[in-house]
Amino acid sequence: MDVSEIQTFEHDVLVIGAGGAGLRAAIEAKAQGMDTAVVCKSLLGKAHTVMAEGGMAAALGNADRRDNWKIHFRDTMRGGKFLNQWRMAELHAKLAPARVRELEEWGAVFDRTPDGLIAQRNFGGHRYPRLAHVGDRTGLEMIRTLQDYAVHQGITFHMECTALGLLKDGERIAGACGYWRETGRLVVFRTKAVILATGGAGKAWRVTSNSWEYTGDGFAMAYEAGAELMDMEFTQFHPTGMVWPPSVRGTLVTEGVRGEGGVLLNSRGERFMFRYIPERFAAETAATIEEAERWPDDPQARRPPELLTRDVVARAIRAEVKEGRGSPHGGVFLDIASRRPADYIRRKLPSMYHQFKELAEVDITRQPMEVGPTLHYFMGGVRVDPDTQMSNVPGLFACGECAAGLHGANRLGGNSLSDLLVFGALAGSGAAAYVRGLAATPKPEPGQIEAIFRQATSYLNRESGENPYLLHEELQDLMQSLVGIVRTGEELAQAIERLQELKQRARNVKAHGSSQYNPGWHQAISLQSLVTSAEIVACAALAREESRGAHTRLDFEGEREEWGKVNLVVRRGADGRPQIARVERPRPPRYLEEIAHATIEDLEAGRVGADAPDEV
Amino acid sequence: MGGERTLRIWRGDASGGQFVSYRTPVEEGMVVLDAILRIQAEQANDLAVRWNCKAGKCGSCSMEIEGRPRLACMTRLNLYPPEAAITVQPLKAFPVIKDLVTDVSWNYEQNRRIPPFQPGARDPDGQYRMAQCDVDRVQEFRKCIECFLCQDVCHILRDRERKDAFVGPRFMVRLASLEMHPLDVADRLPLIKEAFGVGLCNITRCCTEVCPEHIQITDNAIIPLKERVVDRYYDPIQRLLGWLRGRRGGTARKLPMSQGPASAPA
Ligand SMILES: Cc1cc2nc3c(=O)[nH]c(=O)nc-3n(C[C@H](O)[C@H](O)[C@H](O)COP(=O)(O)OP(=O)(O)OC[C@H]3O[C@@H](n4cnc5c(N)ncnc54)[C@H](O)[C@@H]3O)c2cc1C
Ligand code: SF4
Ligand code: SF4
Ligand code: FES
């Protein structure tokens, strides 16, 4: 292989991923004078972000004037079971409003309040109506706004171009390798910094809301390059995915349905969530149906339990089904039909209406939906510095779903879209600052490019081997049954053992056909990062011997105090296996700790947190 | 449902191709994309097809099914009689890359030609105010998922190959969303009239019929743009007023076009 003959681009900053995080990062890097390029696996505007429905969380205070960053921060920490990085939760709560308003300046058209401001809706775990939204297609609004803005900024876009691996010069990042999906031609990016914005790895599970793109490429590339990953045991199961028909099992039903007043019922017609209110939230959750019905009009009434955090609702649904009170197709009922007028439902939840009508032949303005948990989101990811988003590898940055830290053990709905904007922008400026400080342009060490390309083309070139699609399905079944919503040490150990074997087999799959737009080959390549990500999740899940947030261990019930003091950090060991370290959590500034643990009354009365600085 | 079905799928690339029939097991509720992905996994690993959301939200899986442009992920198999084969082929208005995948980059080029959103000043308290009733229309246009089905069906692009003179219904929708945005102050009418070719549309409404988002492309986007062009350029009174007022008539709050401001660091 003659490396000098491979198509090569040179830029200051390469952003891998064109979802909300990648686009926002690229806009920022470019605005700070960096020659910036973006690569993405799909066409522009088709990333996961486009699917987001419910909204983006920011304490704008438009819908309820009592809202502010401190309450958003407190909600985020409590939702994350106090395993979030304090500084990230602080930055997010403080900066999200400005980032949302900026989208408006770039052309986004959010739903409005009666006085013409950005409207906000209720969502699980958020004290006040906080989610800026556009019906139930908020992600589309966000990605289109960023895309239409970004294409006029002089950023270079390479669509349908998959990154395969990162290049290094000693410890530093020196670029990345990839290939064009259309032709299979190889390409090298020689860049001073790389920002990963590749999202999660939900495709390792059978029942998931995620698309084919979510194969953990960013996790795997970072890991292979020596970066640390964190909180990988925390994989979020969204409580409401479609359960029927079989071909759409896992497709998301937005939490907006509950935010707009929908309730969960079991086969006996009981609003079962009242039986699953955790102690930490009891003081702020309605105790009876009668009280829940008075909310939000009666300021004395507390929030309905359907709006508890996702981990709680998902486990409750699983328990109801397990105890024989499920719906005909193994879920529970989500009912908005009997609670809101049909035209209201069609206006506020148009794509849910459409989705059920077309795919399940269910009219949600007249019938309840059947729903059950679906693998949705990775709280874990690349461990980064909160202010710059740089990893432990100099020049390697990460933001959005592929970075860890903001959400801790469980993410609140709506906190992802705002995460993308806040930390996308910080990653862009972090990378720009890093590049400005570089003394010399890093040069990839010899041999790396050849090794990456040899591996990628091996699936095409070999004579025979297993079918990559069928192996992928085997992986999905394994993760679904052994690394699911509730876990045991025994099953996790078994999963890890079977993953070793699967990893070997994945190395030897065969892609038939040519390199021209060949999904079988693409599948063979992404299967590798998927297996790596799955193994890391299973190992981290085995190591955390407690139940917290999205991670539930039947053999270690409840939160354990000692585990609340550490995050699990994973690195690639010399043998290629994940090495797990318990890393003590940084101590927060006094004011953050006080706000997070304050009662809502003390916080709102200003008895706590009054001295906290509002600027970042 | 259950049982098996036959799909006739176009296989080939720019140099040519043919239909290949595949039989595949099906279950209740399956859509055409499910059947294609099953065939891909079990019988034709290198069958090229685009998809992402599988829920009609991303606009990736556009193709022609039984001769009609559709989203494969929102087209149920039981729409077609059970015994008959279902014929699936790539969009015709764009060059084929391989199998069901076409080169839609022309659309991205058109989007880049459109002068971007340009907001007016914020209110004194730093807010933008817009009434819901004033943004309803714009929100209809912004539902567009860029599936390009309307581009595929429009005879100006599809049969007459006038990609040089008309940006197509998708970008008329985009232009309308900007022109009717209550905060926007840029003026795109001269471009809409000349370079983007609104006059070429002869209101056949084929685009509206295929739009999976049910956007009233012709009635709500294209016709109002045509009217604005007529008002500006052909209405004698408007022309006189425009001449008297200086450069142009209509609402006087629009400013000359420039690129949006660079974002401030956080
Ligand atoms: C159905 C659904 C609904 C949701 N609703 C909400 C909501 O209402 N509110 C909320 O806050 N969050 C929501 N989420 C979560 C949120 O949408 C995602 O977490 C978020 O969009 C992720 O954005 P991102 O920018 O990190 O990644 P993405 O938008 O997923 O983008 C990832 C990008 O990386 C690219 N990429 C990946 N690997 C490679 C590679 N090897 N080479 C090149 N490019 C690569 C992809 O092509 C893509 O462009 C929802 C998620 C789903 C699935
Ligand atoms: S109405 Fe106009 S834009 Fe739409 S298909 Fe007909 S000619 Fe094309
Ligand atoms: S206007 Fe409708 S048909 Fe045309 S690209 Fe948009 S969503 Fe598709
Ligand atoms: S796969 Fe997204 S619209 Fe069909």
Side-chain angles (χ1 to χ4, degrees):
Chain A
M1 185 180 295
D2 184 354
V3 173
S4 66
E5 285 184 2
I6 299 173
Q7 181 182 32
T8 300
F9 292 94
E10 289 183 22
H11 300 283
D12 293 326
V13 177
L14 177 71
V15 181
I16 304 180
L23 289 172
R24 189 62 189 82
I27 289 169
E28 198 60 38
K30 180 68 197 179
Q32 300 203 14
M34 295 294 122
D35 174 356
T36 305
V38 177
V39 296
C40 54
K41 291 202 280 191
S42 289
L43 297 172
L44 202 51
K46 312 296 183 194
H48 245 82
T49 300
V50 80
M51 296 173 222
E53 295 163 357
M56 62 187 96
L60 297 162
N62 292 350
D64 193 317
R65 290 168 150 273
R66 288 172 293 181
D67 203 13
N68 60 49
W69 75 263
K70 292 169 203 167
I71 303 176
H72 191 181
F73 166 79
R74 175 179 179 270
D75 290 344
T76 301
M77 292 301 298
R78 286 159 54 93
K81 319 298 162 190
F82 295 94
L83 223 55
N84 330 49
Q85 296 304 300
W86 296 90
R87 175 66 179 154
M88 284 179 82
E90 178 189 16
L91 283 169
H92 172 252
K94 286 180 173 174
L95 292 172
R99 291 284 88 84
V100 171
R101 289 203 192 96
E102 174 182 77
L103 276 192
E104 200 173 38
E105 193 164 312
W106 295 346
V109 185
F110 295 103
D111 287 355
R112 317 307 296 178
T113 62
D115 48 355
L117 301 175
I118 297 173
Q120 296 176 277
R121 70 159 44 117
N122 279 303
F123 238 55
H126 292 282
R127 168 96 191 157
Y128 292 118
R130 188 175 283 149
L131 270 68
H133 61 277
V134 186
D136 53 4
R137 55 161 191 85
T138 313
L140 171 64
E141 189 67 21
M142 174 165 172
I143 202 164
R144 198 68 80 235
T145 302
L146 290 171
Q147 173 191 346
D148 287 337
Y149 182 79
V151 297
H152 291 284
Q153 307 305 313
I155 299 162
T156 310
F157 285 97
H158 302 295
M159 303 195 291
E160 298 199 309
C161 180
T162 301
L164 291 166
L166 300 171
L167 301 173
K168 286 174 77 178
D169 178 353
E171 283 308 299
R172 288 184 185 287
I173 281 295
C177 290
Y179 73 99
W180 299 102
R181 300 175 77 82
E182 181 179 334
T183 55
R185 259 179 76 200
L186 306 174
V187 50
V188 173
F189 297 93
R190 298 181 60 158
T191 65
K192 298 170 188 158
V194 170
I195 301 177
L196 293 171
T198 48
K203 267 295 164 190
W205 282 261
R206 178 69 103 176
V207 179
T208 174
S209 65
N210 291 179
S211 85
W212 65 267
E213 289 203 301
Y214 265 26
T215 52
D217 300 2
F219 301 149
M221 284 189 278
Y223 178 77
E224 297 295 335
E228 292 171 343
L229 306 181
M230 187 172 77
D231 296 339
M232 291 295 282
E233 65 275 32
F234 298 110
T235 54
Q236 179 168 74
F237 290 83
H238 193 293
T240 62
M242 292 176 81
V243 296
W244 191 91
S247 58
V248 295
R249 191 170 190 125
T251 299
L252 195 76
V253 179
T254 175
E255 190 168 321
V257 177
R258 281 170 285 141
E260 294 293 347
V263 296
L264 292 164
L265 303 171
N266 63 19
S267 61
R268 299 186 191 153
E270 296 162 342
R271 267 179 85 170
F272 58 84
M273 280 309 302
F274 287 94
R275 286 190 269 112
Y276 297 91
I277 302 170
E279 218 181 279
R280 178 178 285 153
F281 293 93
E284 291 168 33
T285 309
T288 62
I289 295 189
E290 184 275 324
E291 181 183 356
E293 295 291 294
R294 283 190 280 118
W295 183 86
D297 304 326
D298 174 359
Q300 300 305 313
R302 293 166 297 178
R303 305 162 57 79
E306 280 85 3
L307 290 176
L308 284 163
T309 54
R310 288 176 176 177
D311 50 331
V312 176
V313 182
R315 273 194 304 270
I317 292 177
R318 183 184 171 277
E320 287 294 309
V321 174
K322 209 153 182 248
E323 284 159 31
R325 294 188 294 274
S327 66
H329 300 101
V332 295
F333 295 106
L334 172 59
D335 175 35
I336 188 155
S338 68
R339 306 186 52 85
R340 294 285 178 269
D343 55 337
Y344 182 85
I345 298 171
R346 275 193 295 264
R347 183 158 51 82
K348 278 302 194 181
L349 303 162
S351 67
M352 281 307 105
Y353 174 75
H354 198 57
Q355 178 175 315
F356 271 89
K357 189 110 191 165
E358 307 267 324
L359 297 175
E361 289 172 16
V362 166
D363 179 351
I364 68 166
T365 67
R366 306 171 54 162
Q367 297 157 272
M369 300 160 243
E370 269 188 82
V371 296
T374 180
L375 192 285
H376 185 55
Y377 185 87
F378 267 65
M379 269 70 73
V382 181
R383 184 184 190 207
V384 291
D385 172 74
D387 289 83
T388 64
Q389 299 291 105
M390 190 157 89
S391 70
N392 60 308
V393 176
L396 182 63
F397 298 75
C399 56
E401 188 169 340
C402 92
L406 170 60
H407 309 292
N410 173 60
R411 171 176 74 90
L412 295 185
N415 267 1
S416 170
L417 292 187
S418 40
D419 166 3
L420 309 183
L421 296 174
V422 168
F423 294 103
L426 289 178
S429 55
Y434 167 83
V435 169
R436 280 194 294 269
L438 268 183
T441 301
K443 287 197 182 51
E445 280 158 24
Q448 296 176 73
I449 298 175
E450 292 89 334
I452 292 171
F453 286 149
R454 206 171 300 121
Q455 182 59 42
T457 47
S458 69
Y459 313 113
L460 271 178
N461 293 340
R462 70 169 51 100
E463 287 296 306
S464 64
E466 279 191 82
N467 175 332
Y469 296 96
L470 302 185
L471 199 61
H472 178 214
E473 286 176 20
E474 212 177 305
L475 169 69
Q476 289 182 307
D477 288 336
L478 188 163
M479 292 302 281
Q480 193 74 34
S481 61
L482 299 179
V483 195
I485 191 165
V486 295
R487 302 161 173 177
T488 67
E490 202 180 318
E491 288 181 344
L492 290 168
Q494 203 186 328
I496 294 166
E497 201 184 305
R498 285 184 47 198
L499 281 166
Q500 299 318 305
E501 181 228 316
L502 229 113
K503 200 151 99 178
Q504 284 311 314
R505 287 165 59 201
R507 282 302 231 193
N508 293 307
V509 293
K510 162 72 185 161
H512 292 277
S514 73
S515 68
Q516 184 197 14
Y517 217 113
N518 183 346
W521 181 39
H522 306 164
Q523 177 80 5
I525 290 171
S526 53
L527 190 57
Q528 315 305 322
S529 9
L530 204 53
V531 177
T532 303
S533 308
E535 183 188 15
I536 295 169
V537 171
C539 291
L542 181 63
R544 182 169 284 275
E545 297 185 328
E546 67 160 349
S547 297
R548 183 184 295 266
H551 173 68
T552 306
R553 285 284 297 267
L554 286 180
D555 45 352
F556 294 94
E557 283 179 12
E559 290 176 17
R560 311 279 164 114
E561 207 188 317
E562 68 276 18
W563 279 101
K565 297 184 185 134
V566 293
N567 293 96
L568 290 180
V569 170
V570 187
R571 282 185 98 123
R572 186 180 187 279
D575 57 354
R577 298 284 313 278
Q579 259 179 13
I580 301 200
R582 296 185 191 195
V583 173
E584 188 118 359
R585 293 170 48 68
R587 271 208 73 84
R590 180 193 45 80
Y591 65 88
L592 287 184
E593 195 156 24
E594 285 175 4
I595 294 171
H597 293 287
T599 66
I600 192 72
E601 291 78 16
D602 283 350
L603 186 57
E604 297 205 321
R607 288 188 289 272
V608 173
D611 60 341
D614 286 332
E615 60 281 4
V616 300
Chain B
M1 200 156 52
E4 292 200 330
R5 292 209 65 143
T6 304
L7 268 75
R8 276 178 76 230
I9 303 176
W10 193 87
R11 303 283 325 257
D13 56 25
S15 64
Q18 75 283 328
F19 285 97
V20 179
S21 289
Y22 299 93
R23 260 188 100 63
T24 186
V26 292
E27 291 166 25
E28 192 172 359
M30 266 169 76
V31 293
V32 171
L33 181 64
D34 293 321
I36 294 173
L37 293 179
R38 189 149 190 174
I39 291 165
Q40 184 191 58
E42 292 169 359
Q43 306 178 47
N45 284 186
D46 62 345
L47 168 57
V49 57
R50 286 197 184 103
W51 64 279
N52 283 75
C53 69
K54 246 173 106 353
K57 295 191 168 81
C58 72
S60 302
C61 62
S62 308
M63 57 186 74
E64 296 190 4
I65 304 171
E66 285 292 294
R68 189 184 154 93
R70 284 179 166 282
L71 297 179
C73 73
M74 296 301 277
T75 305
R76 304 255 305 214
L77 290 172
N78 64 10
L79 202 69
Y80 306 99
E83 319 74 42
I86 301 173
T87 301
V88 184
Q89 56 195 316
L91 298 181
K92 185 184 162 221
F94 301 105
V96 69
I97 292 174
K98 190 181 148 200
D99 304 338
L100 301 171
V101 173
T102 54
D103 179 358
V104 291
S105 56
W106 178 80
N107 294 290
Y108 288 87
E109 286 157 26
Q110 302 320 301
N111 192 33
R112 254 194 164 93
R113 292 170 64 202
I114 296 176
F117 175 70
Q118 198 190 325
R122 290 176 180 275
D123 291 349
D125 64 351
Q127 299 275 13
Y128 285 124
R129 284 186 178 72
M130 296 184 268
Q132 184 63 45
C133 61
D134 292 334
V135 300
D136 280 342
R137 176 57 47 87
V138 177
Q139 286 188 330
E140 177 192 1
F141 302 144
R142 295 185 66 89
K143 287 195 307 191
C144 171
I145 55 174
E146 299 209 319
C147 64
F148 307 130
L149 293 178
C150 57
Q151 304 286 80
D152 182 55
V153 84
C154 176
H155 68 109
I156 301 166
L157 307 177
R158 184 187 177 97
D159 305 319
R160 293 171 53 202
E161 305 254 7
R162 291 306 308 275
K163 292 203 181 87
D164 57 324
F166 183 47
V167 291
R170 156 55 190 142
F171 297 104
M172 286 294 144
V173 168
R174 165 98 182 114
L175 284 159
S177 82
L178 289 163
E179 287 294 292
M180 297 181 202
H181 194 307
L183 299 179
D184 181 72
V185 295
D187 177 17
R188 302 171 189 82
L189 266 197
L191 286 165
I192 292 171
K193 174 173 177 279
E194 300 293 337
F196 302 152
V198 74
L200 278 178
C201 163
N202 51 354
I203 320 191
T204 59
R205 293 198 170 80
C206 311
C207 50
T208 306
E209 258 168 53
V210 298
C211 177
E213 288 292 312
H214 307 294
I215 300 171
Q216 294 300 311
I217 304 175
T218 330
D219 288 5
N220 290 351
I222 299 181
I223 293 177
L225 289 180
K226 280 175 174 283
E227 284 169 357
R228 289 181 182 211
V229 169
V230 169
D231 286 351
R232 167 93 62 92
Y233 292 96
Y234 304 108
D235 179 338
I237 298 173
Q238 280 292 332
R239 251 163 81 185
L240 182 68
L241 282 176
W243 179 78
L244 286 173
R245 252 189 249 138
R247 267 186 354 101
R248 47 162 306 220
T251 46
R253 50 182 192 92
K254 301 218 164 191
L255 302 170
M257 209 275 294
S258 79
Q259 297 232 314
S263 65

